[in-house]
Amino acid sequence: MKVITWICLLNCWLFFPAQAQWRYEEGNLRFEWNLTNDRATLTEVPGGAVTWQGGLLPSFRIKDEKGKFRYLKARAQGMPDDKGEISLVLEKYGTGTLVLERKAWGIRISRLSIQWQGKVPAIVEMYIGASSIAANAVNVKPVWDRPFLPDWQTMGYCVPGAKGGTVQSYFRMWDFGQPDIALGNFGPSMSTPYGAAFPRPVLFAAMGNSKGWICIGAGSVPDAAMTLKIRGTRGCYEYLFREDLWGGSQRTRTWEDLLRITIDTAAMAAFEKYYASFPVDANKKVAPVSSVWNTWGMWRLKKYPIKPIADFMEKMSNEMMVLDDPWEVSQGAGKPNLEKFPHFFEEVEQVRRKGTDIGIWETVGWIKDTLAAGLGTNDLIRDAKGKPCLANWNFDPSGDAYYCLDVSSPRTRSFLEERTRSVMRQLKPRLIKLDFGYGMPNPNMGAPKDPRFRGERSSYEMVRLIAAAAKSIDPNVIILYYGISPLWAPLVDMVSLDDQGDLWYDTRQGHAEWSIWASLLSQQRVAISGSSSYEWRTDDEVLMNTIILGSPGAVLPTELENGEPIPERFLNRRLAVNKWYRRSVLWKPVWFNSTAGNMEAPPKLRNWGRSENGVLTALTLRTENVPVENITCSGNWGLISQDEQSITTTTRLAVIPFSEGKIELPCASKPVKVTKFNMQGTVPADNWSWTAGRLTITVTSTQLDHTAGFLVETAAL
């Protein structure tokens, strides 16, 4: 058990002449914050090595009453009171307060409030981790047109999935250059390379080295675009407002739950504490989880069948078919394209009669035909000249583009709700897949009229409206979205790892990293869809992780490029996972010899498991022959308990081979039955033996092509 100690002198504050020093210790790490000069450090104890340092008091770039841009850095005044309230001053322009709270998981800046004096300025940007630097203290000035610089200093950064294809999450301080890394929904519009939707929004990052890490994350959804800005080797958070363009200035400005800060010896451990700071409502209704097959695997190839995909899914034991883009007559319309799908309603009903559920893709904030939707210019996000903004997935200036909905417009809000309710009534979907909330123009380009719905809150509010409208018709409908921020968890029922086609050529490493970061949601009452790549040859790597994550998902084609059927050797393992996957949404990862990464090596999945209520219910074993739970093997294997018992005590154990090899595992009594399952059906297995409490199963290369998996059934003790 870790001990959290607050070193307190003079009512929990240690004072030097004209200085206030705040100290927080956990384990062998010490966080100290000199409030007077805004210098915080994370230090290893007793070695004294500083793993991170920088400021945490806010600063602002404003436009004043004379139309000039100015930089204001908040300074702490005097000692905090017994409630942790610190008085701030921003030169002659204003005063404020910042409230610190001590929590079991770390440090919380629970409120920041600014009161402007004189004419209220427009906030252009707010920064955490920036400060003025004397001209003679800067030897090399980075590319930066501001009279201040980021001041966070550290050896390494960890931003889950900051780079998409190929994926990378850990960076040395000199690896970055001068990037702006969108932490929220603004991806490509904030100069971040396109990485699809997953895992953003994250709204947090970690900094540190082999001695210690600090995670600094949002405590509530920001009303600005949140970005990690690196200049040279130093970083800060920027919150982009641009009130100089869009208005919204207020004399008193308050940010509730601005930041949550956690520390630990590893980035993943610091992230886990950050997630633990958002307790999940025990009364949150969890919709039943399904295995999902998405039509995008074929439709992306400009092949638009419905019934053939449904027939394929039925053979694969999938439970839900998601109709993806472009099922609509135009994007955002919520009405089927009957020219492309002339028998749309009949085919949907045929799918449903097969016992297969239907899911529907919807865009969050884009729309093509505003006239048909009854929307005008005032219902859209507009630029500084009043012209409606357009957006697309990669912000290609000449690419096909869509208008962007302004969620502060009453007519837009009504449209989103009515569109969703109409889809729910007509098509009765059990899942709504929401997309492109991350493809909105950033505040330099345009912003909602109502300041309450700006920044990261814009997409958040649209998802909230759509989810509420859908659940008003069917409380059990599954809302699927992307992103791993715990702040979004109350809105969604399932998070998808998105298409591994966006990982480019390294599906194995990419899906492994995405799976590791997705596991942060394992205690948030959110189902996790493992998704797939576009290629069957990489599917086994995806499925081995899906065994732990839970819900199988696919965007795979249902035929080869030449139109021939998919070979059974590719189908078998996906069939097994579809049949035997774990359906619970509360679990914890068990890493065994896997690692979530550090500054010495990237994240890597070898053997790892799924624990539910302290019981190991699923296990993935790769070729590294490390004994786990008294199990040894050669080759790659997946084990899934078919009840609530562990994989070593269950009376029904699914054993899935992913390569040729042999597995030996404890089995108290001789199995009553071992059956082999494949695309042709179920037959008794003959390649197993049991001796003295040990079960052995062997699979050759030839047998693997015709094997989905084995079900081992034993008598209850």
Side-chain angles (χ1 to χ4, degrees), residues 80-101:
D81 60 22
D82 57 0
K83 296 180 180 179
E85 189 170 288
I86 303 166
S87 296
L88 304 175
V89 63
L90 291 99
E91 300 179 14
K92 65 179 182 179
Y93 292 91
T95 59
T97 55
L98 183 146
V99 179
L100 285 176
E101 290 185 6

Side-chain angles (χ1 to χ4, degrees), residues 594-646:
S594 296
T595 173
N598 49 44
M599 293 310 298
E600 284 69 50
K604 186 174 182 62
L605 288 181
R606 299 180 179 92
N607 303 323
W608 71 307
R610 175 187 179 102
S611 175
E612 301 174 36
N613 297 315
V615 175
L616 186 68
T617 56
L619 176 65
T620 287
L621 299 165
R622 287 181 167 89
T623 52
E624 292 82 356
N625 194 7
V626 177
V628 173
E629 298 288 310
N630 200 24
I631 299 169
T632 60
C633 71
S634 61
N636 301 335
W637 298 81
L639 305 176
I640 310 175
S641 172
Q642 295 302 290
D643 54 29
E644 302 312 306
Q645 301 301 309
S646 76

Side-chain angles (χ1 to χ4, degrees), residues 38 56-64 68-75 88-91 93-98 111-116 121-132 144 146-148 223-224 237-243 250-255 258:
D38 188 28
L56 290 169
L57 291 178
S59 59
F60 298 87
R61 186 166 179 255
I62 63 166
K63 194 171 187 179
D64 66 15
K68 293 185 177 181
F69 292 104
R70 298 187 180 276
Y71 175 68
L72 308 175
K73 172 75 175 185
R75 292 184 290 111
L88 304 175
V89 63
L90 291 99
E91 300 179 14
Y93 292 91
T95 59
T97 55
L98 183 146
R111 189 174 75 251
L112 168 64
S113 184
I114 300 296
Q115 298 82 40
W116 299 111
I123 298 176
V124 181
E125 300 133 4
M126 180 174 74
Y127 292 87
I128 302 293
S131 60
S132 298
W144 182 250
R146 303 286 189 268
F148 54 92
D223 57 346
Y237 283 164
E238 178 196 76
Y239 300 83
L240 184 62
F241 288 94
R242 294 309 308 262
E243 290 178 354
Q250 303 169 48
R251 182 162 299 279
T252 298
R253 191 63 175 271
T254 301
W255 293 268
L258 179 66

Side-chain angles (χ1 to χ4, degrees), residues 183-187 189-190 201 203 220-227 238-243 246 253 381 405-408 437-444 446-462 481 488:
L183 298 178
N185 295 283
F186 292 96
S189 76
M190 297 294 291
L203 303 181
S220 60
V221 180
D223 57 346
M226 184 178 178
T227 304
E238 178 196 76
Y239 300 83
L240 184 62
F241 288 94
R242 294 309 308 262
E243 290 178 354
W246 319 118
R253 191 63 175 271
I381 292 179
L405 298 173
D406 182 350
V407 73
S408 59
Y438 56 91
M440 301 295 283
N442 75 57
N444 283 319
K449 290 183 286 294
D450 190 335
R452 294 177 301 167
F453 302 125
R454 291 180 183 168
E456 309 298 345
R457 294 181 183 175
S458 177
S459 291
Y460 183 92
E461 179 65 7
M462 285 189 280
Y481 195 61
W488 288 67

Side-chain angles (χ1 to χ4, degrees), residues 231-349:
R231 291 300 179 267
T233 60
R234 302 189 181 189
C236 69
Y237 283 164
E238 178 196 76
Y239 300 83
L240 184 62
F241 288 94
R242 294 309 308 262
E243 290 178 354
D244 57 319
L245 294 177
W246 319 118
S249 303
Q250 303 169 48
R251 182 162 299 279
T252 298
R253 191 63 175 271
T254 301
W255 293 268
E256 300 288 350
D257 212 346
L258 179 66
L259 290 175
R260 299 187 181 192
I261 301 170
T262 57
I263 61 175
D264 211 298
T265 54
M268 187 65 168
F271 291 156
E272 288 171 342
K273 289 179 179 176
Y274 171 69
Y275 275 71
S277 75
F278 298 95
V280 178
D281 183 0
N283 296 319
K284 178 184 177 183
K285 188 175 180 63
V286 179
V289 180
S290 294
S291 55
V292 174
W293 198 280
N294 196 296
T295 60
W296 182 246
M298 289 297 290
W299 291 5
R300 62 180 283 271
L301 303 174
K302 311 300 183 186
K303 298 180 179 180
Y304 299 108
I306 292 180
K307 186 178 182 301
I309 297 177
D311 293 341
F312 181 90
M313 286 174 48
E314 187 177 20
K315 293 191 299 182
M316 295 297 294
S317 293
N318 270 98
E319 297 155 319
M320 183 183 299
M321 179 185 196
V322 173
L323 304 171
D324 210 289
D325 186 34
W327 74 274
E328 298 166 297
V329 64
S330 66
Q331 194 169 100
K335 298 176 181 178
N337 185 335
L338 296 180
E339 289 187 8
K340 187 168 291 183
F341 306 101
H343 306 292
F344 182 85
F345 291 106
E346 296 92 329
E347 289 185 297
V348 166
E349 191 54 38

Side-chain angles (χ1 to χ4, degrees), residues 405-480:
L405 298 173
D406 182 350
V407 73
S408 59
S409 159
R411 192 155 51 177
T412 292
R413 296 171 70 87
S414 178
F415 166 75
L416 286 171
E417 292 172 321
E418 288 304 315
R419 180 189 72 181
T420 302
R421 285 193 283 259
S422 175
V423 167
M424 291 295 298
R425 292 189 184 104
Q426 273 198 309
L427 301 178
K428 300 178 178 60
R430 205 168 78 75
L431 180 146
I432 292 183
K433 172 188 174 182
L434 296 177
D435 202 357
F436 293 124
Y438 56 91
M440 301 295 283
N442 75 57
N444 283 319
M445 302 164 66
K449 290 183 286 294
D450 190 335
R452 294 177 301 167
F453 302 125
R454 291 180 183 168
E456 309 298 345
R457 294 181 183 175
S458 177
S459 291
Y460 183 92
E461 179 65 7
M462 285 189 280
V463 171
R464 189 195 67 79
L465 281 175
I466 293 168
K471 289 182 181 290
S472 72
I473 304 297
D474 179 3
N476 290 318
V477 67
I478 297 170
I479 304 299
L480 181 147

